[in-house]
Amino acid sequence: MTGRDVQMAQKILDSQPFSGLVGARITEFGDGAATLEVDIRPQLQQQNGFVHGGVLAYAADNSITFAAGTTLGPAVLTGGFSIQYIRPATGRILVARATVVHTGRRQAVVRCELFAAMDDGEDILCAVAQGTVLSART
């Protein structure tokens, strides 16, 4: 992974209007892995002050797809994913770390762990997800 790879991935992420709305950024990209971060702010919380589950699902989906893109190429689409919420997300930053488990010719299986980075530097596991990403090449 190089700084150029992360910059290229961020440019792709920036082309997604919803990612701009959420304020997502790619902090790691390459070699079957991707990390996506979102600053936790009131606009992304639900009524109890926790990060909305939809924001966690968004972060899982995008980090899974970006990780798969490092092994399948840039033209990829999410085939499906599941997410299990472990505990409410609070803190400073939502961090979604995705790693490719298996890549075939046309699809990849990717696992993702979502953490809430706290003010004291501790990362607390909030959710886990797994997805299948398909090559969009014809």
Side-chain angles (χ1 to χ4, degrees):
M1 168 178 47
T2 68
R4 174 187 261 175
D5 294 335
V6 172
Q7 288 176 343
M8 180 205 52
Q10 185 64 48
K11 186 174 181 179
I12 293 168
L13 188 69
D14 289 343
S15 72
Q16 301 173 1
F18 187 75
S19 293
L21 181 67
V22 172
R25 63 189 171 273
I26 297 283
T27 58
E28 295 181 36
F29 177 78
D31 300 325
T35 300
L36 185 139
E37 295 184 357
V38 175
D39 291 332
I40 295 173
R41 59 188 200 277
Q43 296 87 348
L44 302 179
Q45 296 172 339
Q46 43 84 298
Q47 70 279 6
N48 296 311
F50 306 129
V51 177
H52 192 283
V55 176
L56 275 77
Y58 155 81
D61 179 23
N62 255 8
S63 64
I64 284 169
T65 304
F66 272 88
T70 70
T71 63
L72 290 173
V76 293
L77 297 168
T78 302
F81 76 98
S82 65
I83 186 167
Q84 287 72 45
Y85 300 102
I86 296 170
R87 67 174 43 105
T90 61
R92 291 183 310 109
I93 302 170
L94 176 65
V95 180
R97 293 185 187 119
T99 306
V100 173
V101 175
H102 173 77
T103 299
R105 288 182 331 128
R106 308 254 329 146
Q107 73 177 20
V109 176
V110 184
R111 196 173 301 142
C112 177
E113 295 181 329
L114 295 108
F115 298 88
M118 306 306 286
D119 288 330
D120 64 4
E122 182 181 10
D123 287 347
I124 297 177
L125 184 65
C126 297
V128 293
Q130 182 168 301
T132 302
V133 179
L134 308 172
S135 172
R137 289 178 280 153
T138 55

